[in-house]
């Protein structure tokens, strides 16, 4: 490689060291060596692009002009004045083009090698963490090194026609038909990928059947072959009619692919399928862009537009956040919608529904009373942390599932389910009557939540206290002794970390709603309800009528079973697992806490109710209830808003309407209207 110095002098090749950022154009031009190894020529191109981006000290850039465009003009001026530099420059460009695989640039940049979201995630993570090398024959990999700045797309798009015409000097030694050969090969690769994806079973069965009647994916390879023959040098026929037919097929394929998300909206969401659809439509767009370059009479502008688009795709593909945000938004919306369907059952709108909620909550409180005693019994057995947490989780899960099967309710489960239903009401609040409708829903929700908590506590505490007193009278000692009672007073003290633990419990309550939504989506996506109803072995075992009933039962209860089981296990296991890492987290549940406090009163006597320790626990339990409900609702509400793309631009208007209702009708948030 020729020598280099900042003043343009030649130095021996063995002493040459190209600086990380060279501000001297003369040094860069002197370093252009067509005979150097490919890795060195690639590295030289990377340094050239760095020179275009970075201004030298005291360099003046006209206002409103992009720096790389100004420096590119300066580069072309120098090359036009120094033919020797221009020849070596063009030879380097031509040599790199001849030695690398350009098909990968056109056909692979921006696309995952496999149609799998997590495989793409690992690939992006690898590219972010591991350094790349210029010792490559893959033009796609070199392209990422050349255009490593997000602003490259802007200055490439800002190149005007006059400057674009002068750029032909850089490619003087490159055969004019070279890029066309690579572009045609790239279209062949892309057409093959689209053809294979469109005929794959996972997409084909979810596309709209009328759009597949003409078999557009089947015809795509043959249509492209006809166009390719017409694009060959010396071809007698113009590509007009074959090109029009190919483009019509591409539009037909795109329309068919875009019906897959509509199918998923109804029959369950798959993130991998959504990723596959996005990749397929992106390949269709790339085919269109390459066709525009191949058939244009002035392809330079189309090529420039293609390169700018490739730069954008490169940086989009580096983003992990973009990958998950774009593909999980549909899943989040589906989970929120499934929770919204369930949440409607937890909102009371009249006195009959309110009384029904009180009754169902009271039933749940009675079951939680039994859960409280089993919790103390498990603690007495002296299990290790993990097994103690496991059996506590099983206790909670069985209790919650029993409450669900008896059609009773636990108040703290309501917020995560009702929040998506509330978010749905925000879609149409531009009009005053719709805004008042939303305020009505807020009042219904608060009233329902109050009824749930009151119903739970109204039966949980008396039942626990009654059992304690009956056992003391009958056997001389209550099930929960004084030692456990003092521990309860200490753990539920207002001065302790119970309120922090209550907020943490609210997060677990929210997480259980997400798990329920995901399980139900998985159940629906894999059509397990249909499998239960029509699987030959199941029908032979259960009988047709019973199989149909089981199918309907599982479809109606899968979400509730998943929510209650996951919530119970998390309440027991998460503190044990976090304790393994030194995080002393515990759970604080308002109904369980109330039952424990009632057990403490039964063990220590009613005299404890005159002490500050008792009332400190009462105040703390009130805070636990607020945090359990508030944190769970807030998390679910935020996810529901984001999944639907709702932004509260007029937040003050909503808050003012709620405050006005509180001022005029405060009891409407506590007692249903007649």
């Amino acid at each position: 490689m020729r020598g280099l110095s900042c003043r343009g002098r030649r130095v021996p090749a063995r002493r040459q060291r190209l600086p990380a950022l060279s501000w001297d154009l003369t040094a860069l031009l002197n370093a252009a060596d067509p005979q150097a190894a490919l890795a060195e020529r690639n590295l030289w191109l990377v340094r050239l692009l760095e020179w275009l981006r970075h201004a030298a000290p005291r360099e003046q850039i006209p206002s409103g002009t992009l720096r790389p465009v100004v420096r590119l003009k300066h580069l072309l001026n120098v090359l036009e004045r120094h033919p020797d530099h221009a020849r070596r420059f063009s030879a380097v460009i031509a040599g790199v083009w001849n030695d690398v695989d350009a098909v990968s640039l056109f056909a692979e940049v921006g696309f995952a090698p496999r149609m799998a979201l997590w495989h793409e995630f690992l690939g992006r993570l690898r590219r972010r963490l591991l350094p790349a090398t210029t010792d490559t024959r893959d033009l796609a990999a070199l392209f990422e090194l050349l255009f490593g700045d997000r602003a490259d797309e802007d200055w490439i798009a800002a190149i005007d026609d006059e400057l674009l015409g002068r750029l032909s000097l850089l490619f003087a030694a490159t055969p004019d038909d070279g890029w066309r050969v690579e572009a045609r090969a790239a279209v062949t690769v892309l057409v093959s990928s689209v053809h294979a994806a469109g005929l794959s079973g996972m997409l084909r069965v979810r596309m709209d059947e009328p759009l597949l009647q003409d078999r557009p994916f089947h015809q795509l390879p043959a249509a492209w072959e006809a166009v390719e023959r017409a694009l060959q040098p010396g071809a007698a026929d113009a590509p007009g009619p074959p090109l029009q037919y190919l483009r019509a097929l591409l539009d037909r394929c795109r329309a068919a692919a875009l019906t897959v998300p509509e199918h998923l909206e109804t029959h369950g969401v798959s993130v991998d399928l959504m990723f596959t659809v996005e990749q397929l439509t992106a390949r269709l767009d790339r085919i269109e862009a390459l066709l525009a370059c191949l058939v244009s009479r002035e392809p330079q502008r189309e090529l420039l537009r293609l390169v700018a688009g490739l730069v954008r795709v490169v940086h989009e593909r580096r983003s992990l956040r973009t990958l998950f945000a774009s593909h999980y938004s549909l899943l989040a919306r589906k989970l929120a919608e499934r929770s919204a369907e369930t949440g409607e059952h937890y909102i009371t709108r009249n006195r009959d529904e309110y009384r029904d909620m009180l009754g169902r909550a009271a039933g749940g409180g009675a079951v939680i009373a039994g859960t409280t005693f089993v919790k103390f019994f498990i603690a007495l057995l002296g299990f290790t942390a993990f097994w103690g947490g496991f059996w506590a989780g099983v206790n909670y899960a069985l209790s919650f599932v029993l409450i669900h099967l008896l059609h009773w309710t636990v108040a703290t489960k309501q917020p995560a389910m009702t929040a998506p239903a509330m978010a749905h009401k925000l879609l149409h609040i531009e009009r005053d009557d719709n805004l008042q409708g939303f305020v009505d829903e807020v009042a219904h929700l608060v009233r329902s939540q109050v009824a749930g908590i009151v119903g739970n506590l109204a039966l949980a505490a008396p039942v626990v206290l009654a059992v304690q007193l009956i056992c003391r009278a009958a056997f001389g000692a209550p099930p929960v002794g004084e030692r456990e009672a003092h521990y309860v007073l200490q753990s539920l003290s207002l001065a302790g970390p119970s309120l922090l633990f209550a907020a943490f419990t609210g997060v677990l309550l929210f997480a259980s709603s997400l798990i329920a939504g995901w399980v139900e989506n998985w159940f629906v996506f894999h059509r397990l309800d249909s499998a239960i109803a029509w699987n030959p072995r199941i029908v032979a075992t259960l009988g047709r009528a019973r199989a149909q009933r089981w199918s309907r039962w599982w479809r109606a209860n899968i979400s509730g079973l998943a929510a209650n089981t996951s919530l119970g296990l998390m309440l027991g296991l998460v503190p044990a697992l976090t304790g393994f890492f030194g995080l002393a987290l515990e759970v604080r549940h308002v109904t369980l806490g109330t039952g424990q406090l009632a057990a403490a009163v039964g063990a220590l006597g009613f005299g404890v109710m005159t002490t500050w320790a008792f009332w400190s626990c009462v105040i703390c339990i009130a805070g636990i209830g607020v945090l359990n409900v508030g944190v769970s609702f807030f998390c679910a509400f935020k996810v529901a808003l984001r999944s639907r793309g709702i932004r509260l631009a007029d937040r003050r208007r909503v808050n003012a309407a709620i405050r006005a209702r509180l001022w005029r009708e405060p009891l409407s948030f506590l007692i249903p209207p007649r």
Side-chain angles (χ1 to χ4, degrees):
M1 186 173 179
R2 289 182 173 84
L4 136 70
S5 75
C6 291
R7 296 180 181 177
R9 293 184 296 105
R10 306 263 177 175
V11 296
R14 64 179 178 274
R15 294 174 54 193
Q16 173 183 303
R17 293 293 184 270
L18 193 61
L21 288 175
S22 174
W23 306 117
D24 193 329
L25 178 58
T26 304
L28 274 173
L29 296 178
N30 286 336
D33 185 3
Q35 305 303 319
L38 178 61
E40 293 179 346
R41 284 177 282 152
N42 290 344
L43 180 60
W44 180 84
L45 287 176
V46 172
R47 295 297 183 232
L48 176 66
L49 267 295
E50 289 175 351
W51 178 86
L52 284 177
R53 295 189 197 98
H54 299 89
R58 298 181 299 278
E59 181 178 350
Q60 298 296 321
I61 301 296
S63 176
T65 306
L66 296 175
R67 179 186 300 123
V69 175
V70 174
R71 306 206 94 195
L72 181 59
K73 291 180 179 179
H74 176 57
L75 169 64
L76 293 175
N77 291 337
V78 172
L79 293 178
E80 289 166 358
R81 290 196 303 267
H82 298 85
D84 183 54
H85 282 321
R87 282 193 298 270
R88 291 203 309 275
F89 200 111
S90 298
V92 171
I93 298 292
V96 169
W97 180 265
N98 291 330
D99 291 343
V100 297
D101 174 23
V103 175
S104 62
L105 173 64
F106 296 136
E108 297 176 8
V109 167
F111 305 122
R114 288 169 50 190
M115 294 288 193
L117 181 68
W118 283 99
H119 186 273
E120 173 67 4
F121 166 75
L122 294 176
R124 293 191 184 198
L125 187 63
R126 174 183 56 78
R127 284 193 295 274
R128 287 174 68 94
L129 298 179
L130 300 182
T133 176
T134 59
D135 187 12
T136 178
R137 295 185 179 277
D138 185 354
L139 187 54
L142 179 60
F143 190 85
E144 293 191 29
L145 284 172
L146 291 173
F147 300 99
D149 194 311
R150 286 185 176 275
D152 287 339
E153 178 190 1
D154 297 331
W155 69 260
I156 291 174
I159 295 176
D160 56 28
D161 292 337
E162 186 269 336
L163 186 57
L164 183 60
R166 295 173 63 193
L167 275 174
S168 59
L169 176 65
L170 301 181
F171 302 94
T174 305
D176 181 62
D177 196 48
W179 69 268
R180 296 180 182 274
V181 173
E182 306 292 346
R184 290 196 297 269
V187 174
T188 301
V189 173
L190 292 167
V191 165
S192 299
S193 299
V194 171
H195 176 248
L199 295 182
S200 64
M202 63 178 184
L203 286 186
R204 188 181 66 252
V205 298
R206 293 175 173 87
M207 293 180 186
D208 193 9
E209 290 186 7
L211 293 175
L212 296 179
Q213 288 181 351
D214 296 335
R215 298 161 60 92
F217 290 99
H218 291 77
Q219 300 183 59
L220 205 55
W224 161 242
E225 289 177 4
V227 174
E228 187 179 20
R229 285 194 298 270
L231 291 174
Q232 295 289 343
D237 298 329
L243 181 62
Q244 292 177 0
Y245 184 65
L246 175 61
R247 284 177 166 163
L249 283 179
L250 294 174
D251 291 339
R252 195 78 168 177
C253 291
R254 181 181 289 102
L258 293 179
T259 61
V260 174
E262 300 173 6
H263 181 279
L264 296 180
E265 287 272 10
T266 305
H267 299 93
V269 175
S270 167
V271 178
D272 277 335
L273 271 180
M274 288 301 302
F275 178 69
T276 303
V277 170
E278 183 188 88
Q279 292 280 289
L280 190 152
T281 55
R283 283 183 165 90
L284 290 171
D285 293 339
R286 183 69 55 79
I287 292 173
E288 291 278 12
L290 289 170
L291 287 175
C293 296
L294 288 169
V295 302
S296 175
R297 295 181 179 179
E298 298 180 353
Q300 291 86 354
R301 176 57 61 183
E302 296 295 338
L303 284 170
L304 195 69
R305 198 173 288 123
L306 174 63
V307 171
L310 291 174
V311 173
R312 180 180 65 256
V313 166
V314 162
H315 291 284
E316 288 177 351
R317 199 176 174 209
R318 288 177 179 172
S319 172
L320 299 177
R321 181 178 180 181
T322 301
L323 176 70
F324 285 102
S326 60
H327 292 92
Y328 278 92
S329 60
L330 178 62
L331 180 59
R333 184 167 74 250
K334 204 62 188 174
L335 300 191
E337 286 174 358
R338 298 195 185 282
S339 295
E341 294 172 5
T342 306
E344 288 289 342
H345 301 299
Y346 290 107
I347 300 177
T348 64
R349 295 181 173 85
N350 53 56
R351 294 208 166 194
D352 290 337
E353 292 178 354
Y354 186 79
R355 284 192 291 268
D356 179 65
M357 175 62 72
L358 282 172
R360 289 189 288 125
V367 176
I368 295 298
T371 307
T372 303
F373 286 111
V374 176
K375 173 182 170 62
F376 282 114
F377 176 72
I378 292 172
L380 288 174
L381 295 178
F383 288 111
T384 60
F386 174 79
W387 288 109
F390 173 77
W391 289 113
V394 171
N395 174 37
Y396 298 145
L398 291 176
S399 301
F400 295 152
V401 169
L402 177 61
I403 291 170
H404 170 75
L405 295 178
L406 293 174
H407 302 290
W408 294 341
T409 186
V410 178
T412 50
K413 277 180 51 195
Q414 297 174 0
M417 296 298 183
T418 54
M422 294 297 297
H424 182 70
K425 305 295 182 183
L426 284 171
L427 287 172
H428 308 289
I429 60 169
E430 297 83 5
R431 295 169 51 187
D432 289 340
D433 54 345
N434 290 336
L435 178 61
Q436 291 305 314
F438 174 73
V439 176
D440 290 339
E441 288 298 312
V442 172
H444 297 330
L445 173 64
V446 174
R447 191 168 59 237
S448 305
Q449 191 63 61
V450 170
I453 292 178
V454 169
N456 279 170
L457 303 188
L459 212 59
V463 168
V464 171
L465 183 58
V467 171
Q468 285 281 84
L469 296 177
I470 291 172
C471 289
R472 168 177 281 184
F475 306 109
V480 179
E482 293 187 6
R483 185 169 63 88
E484 291 83 6
H486 285 297
Y487 173 77
V488 168
L489 293 178
Q490 181 183 1
S491 64
L492 291 177
S493 172
L494 189 61
S498 289
L499 294 181
L500 175 63
F501 295 157
F504 170 67
T505 306
V507 175
L508 296 184
L509 291 163
F510 160 67
S512 71
S513 71
L514 287 185
I515 293 173
W518 181 86
V519 170
E520 185 180 7
N521 180 77
W522 176 85
F523 185 90
V524 172
F525 178 77
H526 291 285
R527 305 187 66 198
L528 294 185
D529 52 342
S530 178
I532 294 172
W534 300 108
N535 179 268
R537 184 176 299 177
I538 295 177
V539 171
T541 303
L542 299 178
R544 181 172 179 178
R546 187 177 298 175
Q548 296 285 339
R549 289 197 301 271
W550 271 97
S551 171
R552 291 191 295 269
W553 187 89
W554 277 104
R555 179 65 182 84
N557 290 277
I558 185 64
S559 176
L561 294 175
N564 289 290
T565 303
S566 62
L567 175 60
L569 291 177
M570 284 192 295
L571 291 178
L573 279 173
V574 170
L577 295 176
T578 55
F580 177 79
F581 296 100
L583 299 175
L585 289 175
E586 299 180 20
V587 295
R588 293 290 186 269
H589 189 276
V590 59
T591 311
L592 291 169
T594 302
Q596 291 171 338
L597 185 59
V601 172
L604 299 175
F606 289 101
V608 73
M609 297 177 67
T610 63
T611 65
W612 166 246
F614 172 81
W615 289 105
S616 173
C617 293
V618 171
I619 298 172
C620 186
I621 286 175
I624 289 173
V626 171
L627 288 171
N628 283 167
V629 170
V631 171
S632 177
F633 182 86
F634 175 79
C635 294
F637 192 65
K638 292 292 286 185
V639 169
L641 288 179
R642 183 162 296 183
S643 67
R644 289 174 168 85
I646 302 173
R647 297 187 180 275
L648 287 180
D650 201 357
R651 197 181 300 268
R652 292 182 180 178
R653 183 164 163 262
V654 175
N655 294 337
I658 295 175
R659 286 195 301 269
R661 176 66 62 86
L662 277 170
W663 177 258
R664 293 195 316 269
E665 305 174 51
L667 291 181
S668 66
F669 289 86
L670 300 176
I671 303 173
R674 292 185 181 276

